[in-house]
Amino acid sequence: MSAALAAALALAVGGSPLPPLPPTPKRPVVDRIQGVEVKDDYRWLEDGASPEVAAWSAAQDARTRAWLSRLPAAAAIRARARELVATAPARYQRLREAGGALFALKHAPPLQQPLVVILPPGADPAAERVVVDPNAIDPSGATTIDFFVPSPDGALVAVSLSRNGTEDGTLHVYEAATGRERPDRIARVNGGTAGGSVAWDAGGAGFWYTRYPRDGERPAADLPFFQQVWYHRLGAPEAEDAYALGKDYEDPRIAESALQSSDDGRFTLCLVEKGDGGEFEAWLRGPWGGFARLAATADGVFGGRFGPDGTLWLLSRKDAP
């Protein structure tokens, strides 16, 4: 849209002219991809840390908000959108059974963030009980649940919480009966590159968890990578946590580990994806102690799940060796 046309429309809709469009200079960057030169005039806008890019984004936002605020229906649309969000029905996701109860992540508008609840036998929503409510923990609405895992007996639940959309999750442990938080806290169990997970041991005395490097352990550029598996015993200081798995992955830098335990907690599976390429390793820990590799990426395994009787099912391609 030309500047003249934009000004004319602005006057027609709301009276005064809109703020000017911020200048967007072309700064060509040329890459050669498979022998073909590809030019990108606006790659400089991808630098989110640049003050110039931040100023450009703010100017674009100001202009857009100024335009939208002039629309005659803007107030009515905004009010109706708020009404729809506030009156949307509750939804339950990520249901997990433990100790005879059903744990779930509940979306309960108009609350900003979903919460962990327990549904009694029969799963009657009227009898549910809230275990962890991020909206009460942080009334600003900036704290959210990355994942949660109840202990085998349902007495405790491990919950990863992160703030401001960072997905940089810290693990907390709550008592299911009271919602009281225990002192165990572990930082950097979840991240934006490979997510995170937890698997409890048989007696609920501790759990294996995914762990990202801490400041000083690796260069800053590698902190979102090199995810490993560690073990934490409840009540013990984090400094006593033990390394369990990760250094022997086929590509430890980009490995993405997903942990799960059998219902009785005797076996723990770690399904490791090599980046996002669809190649997986499978590692199993049992009563013998330590993780043993069951399958390498060349074996074609892409999934795994424990059955209710403790049987481990591995899914593989039809033509896998």
Side-chain angles (χ1 to χ4, degrees):
M1 180 185 299
S2 69
L5 179 56
L9 286 173
L11 290 170
V13 172
S16 58
L18 289 172
L21 279 168
T24 312
K26 293 183 178 181
R27 298 171 186 169
V29 175
V30 178
D31 293 314
R32 180 173 291 276
I33 302 174
Q34 296 183 355
V36 178
E37 288 192 351
V38 179
K39 185 175 71 170
D40 185 348
D41 290 329
Y42 301 106
R43 188 175 298 178
W44 64 273
L45 286 170
E46 297 178 10
D47 183 3
S50 165
E52 182 184 15
V53 173
W56 183 91
S57 298
Q60 289 281 8
D61 182 68
R63 181 182 174 85
T64 301
R65 290 180 181 276
W67 168 259
L68 293 176
S69 66
R70 299 159 187 257
L71 298 177
I77 293 172
R78 190 177 295 112
R80 179 57 176 157
R82 289 196 182 112
E83 179 186 356
L84 291 173
V85 171
T87 58
R91 295 182 292 114
Y92 296 86
Q93 294 179 315
R94 306 185 198 176
L95 277 68
R96 304 188 67 147
E97 192 278 334
L102 197 60
F103 291 75
L105 192 68
K106 180 183 181 181
H107 297 258
L111 295 178
Q112 287 285 318
Q113 299 294 347
L115 41 152
V116 175
V117 300
I118 295 179
L119 298 167
D124 180 7
E128 73 182 21
R129 180 162 39 83
V130 176
V131 181
V132 183
D133 182 359
N135 306 280
I137 295 171
D138 179 5
S140 74
T143 297
T144 191
I145 294 172
D146 305 306
F147 64 83
F148 72 92
V149 184
S151 60
D153 61 2
L156 301 172
V157 57
V159 182
S160 173
L161 298 174
S162 59
R163 287 180 49 82
N164 299 320
T166 61
E167 300 181 69
D168 184 2
T170 296
L171 197 71
H172 305 249
V173 179
Y174 296 89
E175 296 177 355
T178 64
R180 185 175 71 88
E181 183 180 359
R182 294 177 59 106
D184 305 80
R185 285 193 181 186
I186 305 172
R188 294 186 55 75
V189 300
N190 192 80
T193 53
S197 60
V198 158
W200 289 84
D201 64 15
F207 47 77
W208 289 269
Y209 64 92
T210 48
R211 180 188 189 275
Y212 288 86
R214 312 301 168 85
D215 288 338
E217 292 181 351
R218 289 191 178 273
D222 283 337
L223 295 182
F225 303 96
F226 288 98
Q227 186 192 63
Q228 295 180 347
V229 176
W230 286 57
Y231 179 79
H232 174 76
R233 183 168 297 279
L234 291 176
E238 184 188 346
E240 296 181 5
D241 289 0
Y243 163 82
L245 187 62
K247 298 175 184 177
D248 296 323
Y249 291 160
E250 291 188 13
D251 193 332
R253 185 178 192 274
I254 61 173
E256 303 177 9
S257 304
L259 295 162
Q260 59 172 297
S261 289
S262 57
D263 288 349
D264 60 10
R266 295 177 62 240
F267 295 92
T268 299
L269 174 68
C270 183
L271 196 64
V272 185
E273 185 172 10
K274 187 178 178 180
D276 295 320
E279 296 179 287
F280 292 85
E281 301 173 64
W283 295 74
L284 184 68
R285 190 185 195 282
W288 59 81
F291 282 88
R293 187 162 71 175
L294 299 182
T297 56
D299 294 324
V301 169
F302 63 88
R305 180 67 58 185
F306 287 103
D309 61 351
T311 302
L312 172 61
W313 296 86
L314 292 179
L315 306 179
S316 67
R317 298 192 312 265
K318 190 174 182 179
D319 61 346

